[in-house]
Amino acid sequence: RKSLQLEPDNQSSLVLQNRLLLETGQPELALSNMLEMTRKNPQDTDLLLNYARMQVLAKRYPEALKSFAQVLKKKPDDPDLIYSTALLELELKQFDQSERYFKQLLSTESHVNEANYYLGEIAEEKQQYDVSIGWYNKVKEGEYYLEAQIRIAQMLTELGQKDEARAHLVRLRKMQSHDSVKTRLILAEGQLLQEQGNFDESMALFTGALKEYPDNIELLYGRAMVGESMGQLDILERDLQAILKLEPDNATALNALGYTLADRTNRYSEAEELIKKALALKPDDAAILDSMGWVLYRKGNLQGALKYLRKAWSKNQDPEIGSHLTQVYWELGQNDNARKTLEEALVSAPDDDRLLKLKKQLNQ
């Protein structure tokens, strides 16, 4: 403000002021100001680029894509612009356009590993698993390397090569010297075994790893989730309590334990206290809002449950949240809202067992 009192038209100060407006919860004003500035200076590509980046931060992705396209017309060979545009196309699930930009990026020799990784992701989205593995194998170093290798194992599983998938992760782990990388690969292997239904093997893997890394939060959480899948809630509770002893403010562990107690036991008051602590730490987290809604439902407070579940659904249309919200609407007699929510949930998860079971119940 002081800067703009001295120089009211100072562009750098105006841009920074709008960025601050955006960051402090006033996105409409910030973007409106930026739009007006770009109209007054249509040839200023840096200004337009700042506007595009602010649109991304505000999650106005279609508008941001248009802005990036305008800048790209003026700088068609700029690799950073090509990369940003490709990521936006991918965010909007416009896979063919995104693929074209990432392949263009390969010819610039910039962001090559990132481009190969995302090309693998696009092929995976198209269920072209062999093609996907080819792209992931081209990621040779950098922050995407490990994730690409883990994705290769998952693609091998999709192709029915389950033994090869696990062997790939085991080979990779044996090549590592850093404990953090080893544990990341153990987690990936454990999850892979769970997805294959090999719960005993997954449990054995995590138990063995925890002998070497007894206070590893992620491994404890991983084993807790296997315990939940096996119906061994004593293991889940023991490991989540161990995490909370190490990190009393671990919102993920608080929520997981609270939700499980609400869903699988009648320890509702204890569950609610755990979820309240998690919600105080992360008040806008959709999963925690869903848990609070569910524990209130289990306690018979349907109106209270509806409040939290509607908020959770507005933030994340996850099929589990959708199933909970549908059930509460139905029990409140709001049958049209129940059917509408169920239909919306089935759009993104047409094969979800919970939703299909609920649909059958509603149609009876």
Side-chain angles (χ1 to χ4, degrees):
R1 285 188 184 129
K2 287 182 179 180
S3 171
L4 288 167
Q5 284 172 4
L6 295 170
E7 289 185 67
D9 296 324
N10 185 292
Q11 187 165 288
S12 296
S13 296
L14 287 166
V15 169
L16 284 170
Q17 184 184 50
N18 289 324
R19 177 66 183 270
L20 284 165
L21 286 170
L22 183 69
E23 297 286 358
T24 53
Q26 300 178 70
E28 298 297 340
L29 180 56
L31 295 176
S32 175
N33 289 344
M34 289 300 296
L35 176 59
E36 186 61 29
M37 288 172 68
T38 59
R39 283 173 175 168
K40 289 179 180 177
N41 303 279
Q43 301 306 314
D44 192 327
T45 52
D46 289 337
L47 182 61
L48 185 56
L49 190 54
N50 273 304
Y51 180 38
R53 286 170 177 161
M54 285 191 208
Q55 288 172 314
V56 172
L57 290 170
K59 297 185 178 180
R60 310 292 170 83
Y61 299 129
E63 295 89 341
L65 186 57
K66 290 177 184 176
S67 297
F68 272 111
Q70 286 179 261
V71 183
L72 201 55
K73 281 182 182 178
K74 298 173 182 180
K75 294 183 175 181
D77 299 320
D78 187 312
D80 292 332
L81 283 174
I82 297 168
Y83 184 50
S84 297
T85 306
L87 287 174
L88 273 173
E89 296 278 17
L90 184 58
E91 178 69 34
L92 293 167
K93 299 190 181 300
Q94 297 176 11
F95 299 124
D96 290 340
Q97 297 94 313
S98 181
E99 183 177 14
R100 179 167 57 83
Y101 281 118
F102 280 124
K103 285 181 176 177
Q104 183 183 347
L105 202 58
L106 292 175
S107 65
T108 70
E109 298 185 3
S110 179
H111 301 289
V112 171
N113 284 301
E114 294 94 327
N116 283 320
Y117 176 82
Y118 285 116
L119 285 165
E121 191 174 293
I122 291 166
E124 185 178 338
E125 286 284 349
K126 294 179 176 181
Q127 299 185 340
Q128 299 171 349
Y129 302 127
D130 283 324
V131 175
S132 182
I133 289 171
W135 287 116
Y136 286 138
N137 267 321
K138 291 181 179 180
V139 181
K140 299 300 182 185
E141 59 186 1
E143 63 177 308
Y144 289 91
Y145 171 75
L146 188 60
E147 186 60 32
Q149 293 301 312
I150 292 169
R151 298 305 305 167
I152 287 171
Q154 290 168 330
M155 293 305 94
L156 287 169
T157 300
E158 291 290 347
L159 290 166
Q161 301 174 36
K162 296 180 180 180
D163 292 340
E164 292 87 340
R166 187 178 185 187
H168 174 76
L169 291 174
V170 171
R171 272 195 310 271
L172 197 60
R173 175 155 47 95
K174 288 178 179 178
M175 294 164 56
Q176 308 306 317
S177 57
H178 295 290
D179 287 343
S180 61
V181 178
K182 285 182 183 178
T183 54
R184 175 73 182 89
L185 289 165
I186 291 167
L187 287 164
E189 186 181 345
Q191 185 177 348
L192 198 72
L193 288 167
Q194 274 187 272
E195 290 169 358
Q196 294 172 2
N198 297 327
F199 300 120
D200 288 334
E201 289 184 55
S202 183
M203 180 65 73
L205 176 70
F206 282 123
T207 298
L210 280 161
K211 288 177 182 176
E212 189 173 357
Y213 309 105
D215 293 332
N216 186 282
I217 301 289
E218 292 178 311
L219 292 175
L220 283 166
Y221 189 84
R223 187 170 67 178
M225 293 302 101
V226 181
E228 193 273 337
S229 297
M230 298 175 76
Q232 296 185 12
L233 300 189
D234 56 328
I235 293 175
L236 173 134
E237 187 167 357
R238 181 195 67 199
D239 284 346
L240 291 180
Q241 290 288 12
I243 292 172
L244 293 172
K245 188 175 180 181
L246 294 165
E247 291 184 359
D249 290 338
N250 188 307
T252 302
L254 286 165
N255 182 56
L257 183 54
Y259 177 79
T260 304
L261 292 179
D263 191 54
R264 306 281 286 273
T265 77
N266 59 1
R267 292 158 62 184
Y268 303 137
S269 296
E270 188 181 343
E272 187 174 358
E273 287 305 308
L274 289 162
I275 296 164
K276 278 182 179 176
K277 288 181 184 177
L279 200 57
L281 293 163
K282 292 186 175 181
D284 293 319
D285 187 284
I288 301 174
L289 289 164
D290 173 61
S291 295
M292 181 57 78
W294 195 240
V295 73
L296 291 174
Y297 166 77
R298 297 281 280 173
K299 293 179 78 173
N301 182 354
L302 296 182
Q303 289 295 343
L306 182 62
K307 172 189 166 186
Y308 284 101
L309 291 172
R310 285 177 66 180
K311 189 173 181 181
W313 184 244
S314 71
K315 294 180 179 296
N316 183 1
Q317 296 200 343
D318 177 85
E320 186 167 18
I321 298 173
S323 70
H324 290 163
L325 181 56
T326 298
Q327 197 157 335
V328 171
Y329 271 137
W330 189 258
E331 293 194 26
L332 282 167
Q334 299 183 31
N335 296 356
D336 289 343
N337 284 333
R339 288 194 173 93
K340 181 184 175 185
T341 303
L342 182 59
E343 286 170 9
E344 289 173 354
L346 282 165
V347 169
S348 57
D351 300 322
D352 187 90
D353 289 337
R354 286 163 302 194
L355 297 175
L356 293 172
K357 185 179 178 181
L358 204 51
K359 183 178 180 181
K360 189 176 180 181
Q361 289 174 356
L362 266 56
N363 290 332
Q364 285 177 348

